[in-house]
Structures are given as C-alpha cells and as structure tokens.
Amino acid sequence: MTSQPENPDAATPTSAVPEAGVPDDVEDAVEPAVEPARTPSTSARERYADLVELVQKYRAAYYNDDAPLVSDAEFDRLYSELERIEALNPELVTNDSPTQVVGGDVSVAFAAVDHLTRMYSLEDVFSLAELEAWLRRAEASVEKRHGTAPQWLTELKIDGLAVNLLYRDGVLVRAATRGDGTTGEDITHNVATIKDIPQKLHGTGFPAEMEVRGEVYIASKDFAALNEQMVAAGRAPYANPRNTAAGSLRQKDPAETAKRPLSMYVHGIGAREGLETTSQSQTYAQLKEWGMPTSPYYKVLDTLEEVMGFIAHYGEHRHDLIHEIDGIVVKVDDFATQRELGHTSRVPRWSVAYKYPPEEVNTKLLDIRVNVGRTGRVTPYAVMTPVKVAGSTVEMATLHNQDVVKAKGVLIGDTVVLRKAGDVIPEVVGPVVALRTGDEREFVMPTHCPSCGTELAPAKEGDIDIRCPNARSCPAQLTERVAHLAGRGGFDIEALGYEAAAALTTGPGPDPAENGGVIMPSGPGPLTSEADVFTIADLDLSGVVVWREIRAKGEGTGRFQQVPYFYTKATAKKPSVPTRNTEKLFEELEKAKSQPLWRVLVALSIRHVGPTASRALATAFGSMDAIRAASEVALADVDGVGPIIAEALVEWFAVDWHREIVDAWAAAGVRMQDEVDESTPRTLEGLTLVVTGTLPNFSRDEAKEAIITRGGKAAGSVSRQTSYVVAGENAGTKLDKAESLGVKVLDEDGFVRLLAEGPAAEPDDQAVFAEEGEDA
C-alpha cells in the first residue's frame, strides 16, 4: 500500500482524469507509448468495474479494518492494472475511482477531524528503470526552471501507519490518522501513550500552528517479542508489524494501546505557520532539536547515481534496520521547488516511492505434511500453491512443531501469508481468516513415523518435539544423515546431494501423480547404514530408479515415470553403465577420506556438534581415539564445547552402532587423526577474529581454517573481546559494530600479513576499512 509524505501548501486539482506524477511541461513533451482508445470495449468496461470493486474492497480491509485480504504485492498489481485501463480509457474514470482518492474511509468508531492541509499518497514505482525515468523527468523540469538539478532527500519507506500530529505553540493538541487524506480519525488519547512522541516540544521558537506527519511502527525486535508472548499464551501471533501498529492505535481503550511497543519517525510537515525552514532536511534537523523522533536513515543526495547506490545499500541491509521497510522514498529537498512542481489529484509531483520486491505474499495452504530429520525429529511443513516471493519461487515452508501450527492458527485449505526475507527460510506467518469458506480442516500430528511406522514420542519428558526412536533403521533419518555427511560442513561431496542420498537409502515409493505430485519415498534402498558410505562402489546400483515428471515443451505434465538414477538406460546397442555423475561420486568419496578431523566429526550427525565445536575438539584432542576416550569433564573443559555438547558426545559414543560407523570409516581409509604441521606458525595464539563479507582469495571456511591452524579463535559475532575483524565486500552490521566498539578492522591484505606475522604486523600499515563518510 502507499505511504504518506509531507505536504507543502498547494492547491488540489479537481480533474477526474488521472494525472501522471511528472510536471506538466515535461509531460507535454513526452509522446504517449500507446494511443488512448476512443471507445472502451465491453471487456475493458467489465474488467474495469471488477477492478474498482476489488481495489475498494481490499483498500477498506487494509486501511479501515487493519485486516488485509491480499498481500501488498497483489494489491499493487491490481492497482497498476486499474491505472493502465484508465490511461487507455479516460472516459471511464469517475471522481470516486480508487485512483482519485487517498487512503481509506474514516471509521465511525472515532471522531472525524479535518487536517489543516491535505495528506497525499505517494506514486509507487516497482523497477529501477521506472524510478530512473521518473527522476530524470523531474530533474529535467527543475533544470528548465532554475538551470540546476535538485537535491534529493532519500529515506526509508517505513511499513507503518501514517499519522498527523497538530502542535499549537509547541503543545500536542490533536493526533489523527490519514483517513481519506482530508479527514482522519481522532486518535489523540492513543498517540499520547507513545513515548517517542513529545506532548510538549523542547526548547523555544515553535510555530503558532504546525502539523507534523510521521509513521507509527513497531520495531522488528519488539514485534518478535510481542509474538513470542502471544504464542506462549496460546494465542495466534500477529501477522505483521504494520497492521498490528494500526490496530493498536485504533483501540477504544488507550490503556490497551499503551501495552503495545509503538514507536514513530517523522517523515514530513503539513501546515506550518511561522516555521522558517526552507527544505525537508533543514526541517528534520529543527524537529529533532525540538524533541521529535527523526529517522537516522536518510541522506540528501546530489545525483541519480547516489540515489541508486542508497537503494542498493538498503536493499542488502534492510533486515539489519530497527524497523521493517518495503521501499525507499525520494523527495525534492527544497520546499520552494516542491511548491513549483505541485501535485496531481492524488500524489505530489516532487516525490516518488520505489518498492522493493515483495517479501510477503498470499498463497493457498494445500496440505500440512511431516518430515523426519536426521536426529528423528518430526517436523510439520506447509505445502502451498507455488508463489514467487523475494526473488524465488516457494512451495514449501517449515512449521517447526505441532504447537507452532496451533499457535499460528492455520488450517489446511487456508489462504496464508507467506514471508521470505532475503535469504531467510520461508515462513508461514498466519491465515487470512476473512477468506475462509468453512471447508478448511485442522492438521493432526501423526502418531507413527511416516517412513518406518515406528510409534513417535518425545525424546525426553517435557520435550515439545516428538521423534522417531528408530534412529538406526528409519529410511528417512538415514537419508537425512547421508545428505548431511556429504554437505559443505561435512565431507563436502558435491556429487552426493539430497536426491542421490534419497535414491541410495530409500525405494521410489508410489506414483507421485497419485499424491498431488509429491514424491514420497518408502522402504530401504541399497545403502542401509552410513557406515557403508565409503564402499558404495561395491553396491549394486544398477537397479536404483527415481520418479521423474514427464515434460512436454518444457512444461510439466503431471505424469511421472521411473528412470535409472546411477546407471544409464540400456538400449539395444548399449548396455547400462554408471553415469558420469556416478563415476564422479566414486572419485569424490576417495578424496573425502583425507578431509580433516573436524569435518569427520560434523559428518557423524552427533546432536549439537556443529563445525565450531568440531574444530575446537579436533584442535584440543587431535584424534578420534582421543575424543572417544576423553571424559565428559575433559570434553566440557574445551573452549567452545561446554557441558551440553560434552554430554551429547559421551551419549553418542556409548551406542554400539555409532561406534561401528566410526570403525567402518576408519577401515575404509578415512583420516581419523590430524597431522600436526610444524611449519605453520602459531601467530594468532590468544587472538579472536571475526570474518565478515566476501574475501577475494578466501572462502569463509578457508579463512576460519587459517585462523584456527595458527592458534586463533574464529568467532561468529563481534564483541569487546574481539581482537580483529576481517572485512570483505558487503561486510554489513558486523563491520558497523566493530567500528562502534573500536575493534581493529583489516582488509584481506592486512589479514594475510597478520596470519604471517601476528600482531607484530604494524596495525597502522594494515588497510583499515571504510574511510569516514563511505559506505562499506
């Protein structure tokens, strides 16, 4: 949905025809890309009527009920289609078209109040090409008038609720929602509970009357904590911070509003009798002096290239911010130029909002199934209608456990909100309750393992998670363990991916066409224990088959056939032989035998024992035999291990078939003892280093290995105990924290010198990252 900019004094056009968000003198010089149709077709009229009804319905749900029925991305798509039809058929447009009004209606639950100056929406653009075209048009108009290009105040588009605060002689006398842009809802008593908003401004020199516009939001960490409280109380969590903030401000009882962690940032100014500032940025500085909460995330930029750089930076770091954003707002900074450019009937011509690709979408929850992990944990997961979100197509998402399913309140058949923030695992946020039909059904957690049929139970009394206790023989657990041991943290066997692991450890199962297109393996495969993984070449793999969907002209048909996985298909002229990938698998298994001890430990799937603990154990003990023989106390004393991991290690080695795996790997030639390289100097003894960003000549694992082999500790987070931070490209928040704590920051050249010489390498000669004023 659209956000709210400030509003300099300007007349409001009354034409019913939508006006483009560019100045008239530029607009007249641009040849239309499409000749407008003189007479709308019947289909255009019908589609237009449908779109008007849909947009009005969804807008009312979003603004008035704080209960959106569709995702922002879907609303934006429908709204853009409506604008296109109106551009081609202007005679269809009426004054009550959604493109001619701002925001939503005013709720009858609150007193209606008029804003002194109108609150406008923003024109949204959804691609960098659209944004560049908008900025160049506006820039050309300003240069034509003044001979110089404008400065651009560029700031984050907060995903919150726009409010209008009226101060008289420095005292807050009224707060209102945007409403329809002219009239809003009086929420003064609720806003008074927000600590960020001063009831009386600090200092002196206040205007006689001033409207301050801002965005009320809930900070990301506060929203997470609020939802944890909801789940702990057995209630469904809130869907998103924006609607939670809006709903909080519309509570009848201000005491209820006060319970919500609301905050605000100023983003503009309306009526301002006696305010002498001449630009947006100057106004922000003045408001900050008076105690108003102004965002730390804005810059005044001179060029389009700088604006694009700002957008790229926060596109990469949007999840490092205090609050959620859905885009970037670009405004002409100078007020006089804003007034010259003016407004259309709905949006200012001096401001535009670039929307990042959506991270929340709505989709259909087709089913909830369960997955059995490598430690036996049974995890529900959502199967959904495939949908594109945050740049990738998603059709499955974890639901963690049965309590989370219940807390989220999702039913099979629901339309659900799906969220995927950057590289974060997709998450089902919750249901869109208003779209339920009554045909939905509850998810029931199975009582027996779907892979081996063993009765499920918690591992320990009081555990939320339930597990399959048949760890040794459950095909699903074996598949996960084999895929894990071949992963990047384990033996790093590229040719042994998840599909190959499943083909080795399970049978093909029933025809996926009979199961909604989902492949459900069943029964054992030729590999019945990971103990035999290094002797796979001795197994008969010629009969191993998997299901493949039959495709026609590049599209799936919904029909499946079984095909050989490890061997070629025999023909009249050629017998079946191992595929090139199978031969590569055999070669990689041989190479994997020489991996260092810490990788072998990771590959064993010992609970809690990941790469960090494994490195610490390998460094401390040097061999598998020494680790097996160590007492729980000796294991726990290792820095980076501790009592929980130590207990897990002792318990794991106490199981006979676990020990058989280690013995079988050793017999196959897997290295069980690290060779001490006396030639590697212990230059980092006693130092703690954090590696962040991308280094040209080191992978993250290689950099950590270089630190550990020289006696240093490779940490994952920056603290006052950190000796150095090694920062590559796109270093992010760890670099910011290092600079704030005064921790020495090295680039790759400085890192290489430190590895060779230790702290004796003069720090001043090592390239300290990011000169003042530069973005890292």
Side-chain angles (χ1 to χ4, degrees), residues 59-300:
R59 177 178 272 173
Y62 184 88
Y63 286 109
N64 301 339
D65 303 331
D66 303 316
L69 299 177
V70 294
S71 65
D72 282 5
E74 176 64 10
F75 180 89
D76 289 338
R77 187 189 67 78
L78 294 171
Y79 192 91
S80 295
E81 185 182 354
L82 181 65
E83 287 184 313
R84 286 195 301 271
I85 292 178
E86 289 186 342
L88 292 170
N89 305 280
E91 58 272 36
L92 291 176
V93 184
T94 59
N95 286 331
D96 61 355
S97 165
T99 65
Q100 303 302 297
V101 297
V102 174
D105 298 325
V106 178
S107 170
V108 295
F110 293 87
V113 292
D114 291 336
H115 307 309
L116 301 186
T117 55
R118 187 175 175 185
M119 296 180 72
Y120 285 82
S121 294
L122 284 176
E123 180 174 358
D124 293 328
V125 296
F126 301 93
S127 72
L128 294 176
E130 285 182 277
L131 175 64
E132 181 176 354
W134 191 100
L135 291 172
R136 290 197 185 283
R137 289 195 299 267
E139 190 175 64
S141 178
V142 174
E143 286 180 335
K144 182 178 179 180
R145 288 179 167 92
H146 301 285
T148 58
Q151 286 188 305
W152 302 106
L153 185 139
T154 311
E155 62 189 358
L156 308 185
K157 186 175 182 294
I158 304 171
D159 198 9
L161 179 75
V163 295
N164 187 36
L165 308 176
L166 177 60
Y167 285 87
R168 290 196 178 114
D169 296 319
V171 177
L172 179 65
V173 296
R174 190 173 72 204
T177 63
R178 177 172 58 182
D180 63 6
T182 301
T183 303
E185 301 151 321
D186 190 333
I187 53 170
T188 306
H189 294 300
N190 289 350
V191 163
T193 68
I194 301 175
K195 294 178 182 178
D196 288 355
I197 301 175
Q199 300 298 301
K200 188 177 189 308
L201 298 179
H202 307 163
T204 59
F206 318 122
E209 196 165 58
M210 174 178 65
E211 288 181 310
V212 179
R213 273 79 191 263
E215 205 81 8
V216 171
Y217 66 91
I218 297 179
S220 299
K221 65 179 181 62
D222 293 335
F223 183 69
L226 182 62
N227 267 348
E228 285 176 8
Q229 295 171 14
M230 296 295 289
V231 172
R235 299 169 62 187
Y238 295 109
N240 59 66
R242 187 270 168 201
N243 291 102
T244 307
S248 300
L249 279 178
R250 290 191 171 104
Q251 293 290 319
K252 283 288 194 177
D253 183 359
E256 289 300 314
T257 302
K259 295 177 183 177
R260 308 288 172 82
L262 299 175
S263 301
M264 191 193 93
Y265 276 144
V266 171
H267 62 46
I269 197 87
R272 50 179 184 266
E273 182 183 338
L275 184 63
E276 297 179 355
T277 56
T278 60
S279 68
Q280 188 85 27
S281 56
Q282 192 181 24
T283 302
Y284 283 180
Q286 179 62 77
L287 291 173
K288 185 176 182 179
E289 280 188 29
W290 286 336
M292 294 299 299
T294 56
S295 172
Y297 305 120
Y298 77 87
K299 284 186 177 180
V300 178

Side-chain angles (χ1 to χ4, degrees), residues 358-382:
E359 294 192 316
E360 279 192 4
V361 296
N362 289 3
T363 188
K364 197 77 169 178
L365 178 59
L366 303 175
D367 199 2
I368 297 177
R369 299 191 172 112
V370 296
N371 175 66
V372 184
R374 62 191 171 94
T375 61
R377 180 185 175 193
V378 180
T379 305
Y381 67 94

Side-chain angles (χ1 to χ4, degrees), residues 278-324:
T278 60
S279 68
Q280 188 85 27
S281 56
Q282 192 181 24
T283 302
Y284 283 180
Q286 179 62 77
L287 291 173
K288 185 176 182 179
E289 280 188 29
W290 286 336
M292 294 299 299
T294 56
S295 172
Y297 305 120
Y298 77 87
K299 284 186 177 180
V300 178
L301 304 173
D302 295 318
T303 66
L304 185 147
E305 290 72 23
E306 289 175 331
V307 171
M308 293 300 184
F310 186 96
I311 289 170
H313 175 78
Y314 283 108
E316 293 174 3
H317 297 285
R318 62 189 291 189
H319 304 294
D320 303 333
L321 303 171
I322 295 169
H323 50 68
E324 291 198 356

Side-chain angles (χ1 to χ4, degrees), residues 490-755:
F491 287 113
D492 196 15
I493 304 168
E494 184 181 341
L496 186 50
Y498 189 86
E499 189 178 35
L504 283 167
T505 56
T506 62
D511 187 342
E514 300 171 1
N515 196 37
V518 177
I519 297 173
M520 298 288 287
S522 64
L527 183 69
T528 56
S529 169
E530 62 263 51
D532 302 324
V533 73
F534 288 97
T535 56
I536 285 175
D538 298 332
L539 301 176
D540 180 10
L541 303 180
S542 60
V544 176
V545 295
V546 295
W547 288 104
R548 287 274 192 272
E549 186 173 12
I550 300 169
R551 305 184 74 81
K553 297 181 179 179
E555 298 291 330
T557 62
R559 294 180 289 112
F560 293 79
Q561 62 180 351
Q562 290 186 351
V563 298
Y565 189 84
F566 294 103
Y567 274 62
T568 61
K569 190 173 183 179
T571 65
K573 296 182 178 180
K574 291 184 178 180
S576 178
V577 297
T579 65
R580 178 68 194 96
N581 205 55
T582 302
E583 292 175 349
K584 182 181 178 183
L585 170 60
F586 298 157
E587 294 167 4
E588 289 185 352
L589 282 166
E590 283 302 312
K591 293 178 183 177
K593 293 176 183 179
S594 61
Q595 289 283 24
L597 178 60
W598 74 267
R599 288 185 175 274
V600 181
L601 285 167
V602 171
L604 290 172
S605 285
I606 304 171
R607 196 173 181 192
H608 306 306
V609 180
T612 301
S614 294
R615 288 176 187 273
L617 289 162
T619 301
F621 293 98
S623 73
M624 187 69 73
D625 286 342
I627 294 170
R628 289 173 70 166
S631 68
E632 188 171 326
V633 172
L635 292 167
D637 281 344
V638 175
D639 186 28
V641 177
I644 294 175
I645 295 175
E647 181 184 7
L649 280 160
V650 171
E651 288 181 353
W652 192 89
F653 279 111
V655 178
D656 57 358
W657 67 271
H658 289 166
R659 296 192 300 272
E660 289 171 8
I661 295 169
V662 177
D663 294 341
W665 287 1
V670 174
R671 195 173 89 186
M672 293 291 170
Q673 180 170 333
D674 279 343
E675 300 172 6
V676 178
D677 186 358
E678 300 292 348
S679 66
T680 302
R682 305 283 286 181
T683 51
L684 304 184
E685 201 78 57
L687 300 180
T688 299
L689 281 77
V690 174
V691 180
T692 181
T694 303
L695 300 175
N697 298 303
F698 290 85
S699 69
R700 190 66 61 86
D701 283 341
E702 288 170 343
K704 287 183 178 179
E705 191 74 27
I707 293 166
I708 293 168
T709 57
R710 287 162 177 80
K713 179 180 178 181
S717 59
V718 180
S719 70
R720 295 188 185 278
Q721 283 68 51
T722 305
S723 309
Y724 296 93
V725 168
V726 180
E729 188 177 351
N730 299 323
T733 54
K734 291 179 183 178
L735 173 60
D736 297 337
K737 188 168 184 181
E739 291 173 336
S740 69
L741 293 176
V743 175
K744 293 184 179 71
V745 181
L746 309 179
D747 67 2
E748 187 176 280
D749 290 340
F751 178 50
V752 170
R753 285 200 294 276
L754 186 70
L755 293 175

Side-chain angles (χ1 to χ4, degrees), residues 304-555:
L304 185 147
E305 290 72 23
E306 289 175 331
V307 171
M308 293 300 184
F310 186 96
I311 289 170
H313 175 78
Y314 283 108
E316 293 174 3
H317 297 285
R318 62 189 291 189
H319 304 294
D320 303 333
L321 303 171
I322 295 169
H323 50 68
E324 291 198 356
I325 63 172
D326 59 358
I328 299 294
V329 177
V330 186
K331 306 171 181 175
V332 172
D333 188 40
D334 178 64
F335 281 158
T337 307
Q338 286 183 9
R339 283 191 290 271
E340 288 176 358
L341 294 175
H343 295 69
T344 72
S345 59
R346 192 179 64 88
V347 299
R349 287 190 171 112
W350 43 265
S351 183
V352 67
Y354 167 75
K355 301 285 285 286
Y356 287 120
E359 294 192 316
E360 279 192 4
V361 296
N362 289 3
T363 188
K364 197 77 169 178
L365 178 59
L366 303 175
D367 199 2
I368 297 177
R369 299 191 172 112
V370 296
N371 175 66
V372 184
R374 62 191 171 94
T375 61
R377 180 185 175 193
V378 180
T379 305
Y381 67 94
V383 179
M384 299 163 290
T385 302
V387 62
K388 191 163 186 178
V389 55
S392 59
T393 299
V394 175
E395 55 186 316
M396 289 185 288
T398 181
L399 289 166
H400 302 289
N401 58 56
Q402 64 272 30
D403 286 3
V404 170
V405 176
K406 184 177 180 181
K408 287 182 181 291
V410 292
L411 303 177
I412 297 170
D414 268 336
T415 295
V416 294
V417 178
L418 176 70
R419 177 176 174 79
K420 182 177 182 290
D423 294 328
V424 176
I425 296 170
E427 175 195 9
V428 174
V429 178
V432 183
V433 177
L435 294 180
R436 283 181 175 163
T437 63
D439 295 329
E440 298 80 12
R441 57 189 173 89
E442 286 190 14
F443 164 70
V444 179
M445 195 73 175
T447 57
H448 290 74
C449 176
S451 180
C452 67
T454 303
E455 187 173 0
L456 303 175
K460 296 178 181 178
E461 187 176 350
D463 281 0
I464 295 174
D465 297 328
I466 60 172
R467 298 177 184 273
C468 170
N470 183 25
R472 182 175 192 174
S473 304
C474 176
Q477 292 183 61
L478 179 59
T479 298
E480 297 287 344
R481 292 199 300 269
V482 171
H484 171 76
L485 71 85
R488 288 183 60 189
F491 287 113
D492 196 15
I493 304 168
E494 184 181 341
L496 186 50
Y498 189 86
E499 189 178 35
L504 283 167
T505 56
T506 62
D511 187 342
E514 300 171 1
N515 196 37
V518 177
I519 297 173
M520 298 288 287
S522 64
L527 183 69
T528 56
S529 169
E530 62 263 51
D532 302 324
V533 73
F534 288 97
T535 56
I536 285 175
D538 298 332
L539 301 176
D540 180 10
L541 303 180
S542 60
V544 176
V545 295
V546 295
W547 288 104
R548 287 274 192 272
E549 186 173 12
I550 300 169
R551 305 184 74 81
K553 297 181 179 179
E555 298 291 330

